[in-house]
Amino acid sequence: THRTYNAAELKEEAMLQAELSIKGLRRCRLMLGTDRRVLIDACRKARQAQTPGALKALQRDFYIVERALISLEDAERMRLPVLVHGSHAGLPRAYGIAASLVGSKDGRIDANALSRYLDAYQSVTPLTMAEIRALRSMLTAALIKLLSVECARALDGLKAEEGAEAIAEQLDRSRFGRRQGGAGEKLNLGDNAFLVERLYTIMSEKDMEQGIRELKTRLELEDREIEELCARARSERAKGTRRMQNAIHSLRVISAMDWDAVFEQHSHVHRELLRDETYCRMESRSRGYYRECVERLAAALGAAETVIARHAVQLAVGKEGKQAEAGYYLFLNGREQMYAELRPDKRFKKPMEGRTLRNFITAEVIIALLLIWLAATEGIAPLVLALIPAWSIAGMLCVRAFMVKAPIRYI
């Protein structure tokens, strides 16, 4: 079935205040550590229990879960808007989106469901480029959380069944409720459907008719019916198994999706930059550099990324030469014009490239002078002869040093 998302359903969640922080990602990683331990413990119990259901589904495809956990460890760390209100307060907003989608679909995620949800969400508030890039990791984390919750429920049900076997054995030795203060009177059977179902099954297998009558009588006092509890236990077990299978299937789907295509389909910044002819003809890495420049300018000016991209394209309209390209206003001399028009209250600082060149020339001169001074101790002739090799050596050393520290850029 296809669900239609609209702005009214998502408005409350989308309009929550968010602040930019890396702490939400750290909290998400701590949560994943707990989920990992639960999953490993559940897989170990599944090997020992030999019972069908959610735990068996996890054991059969646990290699997919392990692969997903490894991918989360290798995920890029970035600053993401963090929710300050709601059920996911303190976590990245992208995780809140992923958890909401996973919960609404019972863990069954595909490209169409993701696309519809993102379109509806961004009709209320656009996501940043970092959030769209982080969606793969956040969806994986939300699915791991769903697996952890279902494993915890399955383990609770397993403990209840083990407790039912112990109770049935005790009741088999001493008739149910015959002695005052016995186990039957102390136990609140209506609290756990799995316990009641298992206890009823054991009694039926052992033909404990008296115990079954006493069990039904006790449940009637609590306004419960044994058939209702057994049906609820089977239903919860089936739902848990289905969610487990859906989540594992979704982990497969997520790992196989083309996330570059997902980014370009849902990034509003990419849509704005496509109006620039030069950007349209670029390869993916050069486009990525344009978008990185948009992110840096948005952070420096305190403006939305879509505003930066739209304004850069508008400034390039009707110009000639380099000024007719949006990139001129994103990472060349046109940035000063962007500052002047969008944030006249902020002073445009000298570009990092200029400071790097100044530092390079200063270091080169210092090293050359040092080498010449060392040669001058031997006389005038070695001093003159040392001038050219000293300058060459200084230039080589500075180039090597600055290349090691300089980040790789594609353009």
Side-chain angles (χ1 to χ4, degrees):
T1 59
H2 296 281
R3 177 179 173 184
T4 302
Y5 299 96
N6 53 53
E9 294 176 355
L10 300 168
K11 185 174 182 180
E12 182 178 355
E13 181 74 15
M15 297 303 292
L16 292 176
Q17 295 181 357
E19 58 181 4
L20 195 65
S21 176
I22 201 171
K23 294 181 179 179
L25 197 58
R26 292 174 183 168
R27 183 176 175 182
C28 197
R29 288 178 179 273
L30 291 174
M31 181 180 66
L32 283 172
T34 304
D35 295 338
R36 183 191 187 101
R37 289 190 292 271
V38 172
L39 291 172
I40 292 175
D41 183 50
C43 187
R44 189 182 301 113
K45 292 288 181 62
R47 295 192 186 99
Q48 301 170 357
Q50 299 298 325
T51 57
L55 295 181
K56 277 301 175 185
L58 175 69
Q59 181 189 3
R60 183 176 59 249
D61 295 321
F62 191 70
Y63 71 96
I64 298 174
V65 180
E66 285 184 314
R67 191 166 57 193
L69 289 169
I70 292 173
S71 70
L72 287 175
E73 293 177 357
D74 299 335
E76 178 187 1
R77 298 194 177 191
M78 58 187 76
R79 295 172 62 85
L80 297 172
V82 175
L83 294 172
V84 295
H85 298 297
S87 58
H88 298 108
L91 293 172
R93 183 172 62 176
Y95 178 83
I97 294 171
S100 178
L101 178 58
V102 168
S104 66
K105 291 289 185 178
D106 273 349
R108 189 79 174 185
I109 305 299
D110 54 34
N112 292 332
L114 177 62
S115 179
R116 291 195 303 273
Y117 194 89
L118 289 179
D119 288 340
Y121 194 97
Q122 293 199 99
S123 67
V124 179
T125 181
L127 298 175
T128 65
M129 289 187 287
E131 287 179 303
I132 299 177
R133 288 198 303 269
L135 273 176
R136 177 177 182 175
S137 299
M138 296 296 104
L139 279 170
T140 303
L143 289 169
I144 292 295
K145 169 57 71 176
L146 177 61
L147 288 173
S148 173
V149 170
E150 293 303 327
C151 283
R153 289 176 179 171
L155 290 175
D156 290 342
L158 194 61
K159 291 179 181 178
E161 292 177 1
E162 293 173 354
E165 293 176 0
I167 293 171
E169 184 179 354
Q170 182 179 358
L171 294 177
D172 195 22
R173 292 195 301 264
S174 59
R175 292 301 180 183
F176 187 87
R178 286 287 183 86
R179 293 182 304 176
Q180 188 174 3
E185 295 181 357
K186 295 181 179 179
L187 183 64
N188 188 358
L189 297 173
D191 289 341
N192 196 314
F194 293 104
L195 187 147
V196 173
E197 182 204 28
R198 183 58 181 164
L199 189 58
Y200 179 69
T201 302
I202 294 174
M203 288 181 175
S204 299
E205 291 174 352
K206 294 184 177 181
D207 295 328
M208 299 172 60
E209 297 180 0
Q210 179 65 25
I212 293 175
R213 286 196 295 270
E214 293 289 344
L215 177 61
K216 290 183 177 181
T217 302
R218 187 165 299 281
L219 288 174
E220 288 175 359
L221 293 176
E222 299 175 5
D223 197 19
R224 299 291 183 90
E225 294 182 1
I226 194 167
E227 292 80 8
E228 175 191 350
L229 291 172
C230 290
R232 194 182 79 184
R234 289 191 294 269
S235 175
E236 290 181 2
R237 190 179 292 109
K239 286 181 180 178
T241 303
R242 185 177 67 252
R243 287 172 183 160
M244 188 80 71
Q245 293 171 343
N246 287 347
I248 293 174
H249 173 77
S250 297
L251 289 176
R252 282 199 188 101
V253 171
I254 288 173
S255 64
M257 287 176 63
D258 184 357
W259 286 97
D260 291 335
V262 172
F263 178 88
E264 293 187 351
Q265 180 183 357
H266 296 286
S267 172
H268 289 190
V269 172
H270 176 72
R271 295 178 191 174
E272 294 290 344
L273 291 176
L274 281 177
R275 298 191 291 124
D276 180 62
E277 295 182 2
T278 304
Y279 181 84
C280 293
R281 296 192 298 267
M282 285 181 173
E283 62 176 5
S284 60
R285 290 187 297 182
S286 297
R287 287 182 175 186
Y289 182 67
Y290 264 54
R291 295 192 292 261
E292 288 178 11
C293 294
V294 170
E295 285 182 307
R296 287 198 293 268
L297 273 178
L301 295 176
E305 295 171 347
T306 50
V307 172
I308 298 296
R310 187 183 305 118
H311 202 70
V313 173
Q314 290 173 352
L315 288 175
V317 174
K319 304 291 176 49
E320 296 180 355
K322 291 183 178 180
Q323 297 184 9
E325 301 176 6
Y328 178 80
Y329 305 95
L330 295 177
F331 56 87
L332 294 177
N333 296 334
R335 283 179 292 182
E336 188 170 0
Q337 187 174 350
M338 292 279 284
Y339 270 77
E341 295 195 10
L342 292 178
R343 290 297 301 271
D345 57 315
K346 294 180 72 72
R347 184 176 64 86
F348 175 69
K349 297 181 180 179
K350 189 174 181 180
M352 185 63 186
E353 291 82 356
R355 293 199 299 271
T356 302
L357 179 61
R358 182 188 62 194
N359 296 337
F360 177 86
I361 295 175
T362 303
E364 190 177 18
V365 170
I366 292 175
I367 294 176
L369 292 177
L370 179 61
L371 293 174
I372 293 172
W373 176 76
L374 292 175
T377 58
E378 301 295 331
I380 299 298
L383 173 62
V384 175
L385 294 176
L387 180 60
I388 296 177
W391 192 264
S392 300
I393 293 172
M396 180 191 69
L397 293 176
C398 289
V399 167
R400 293 289 182 182
F402 276 78
M403 285 184 65
V404 170
K405 293 183 178 182
I408 298 175
R409 292 184 180 179
Y410 301 97
I411 185 64

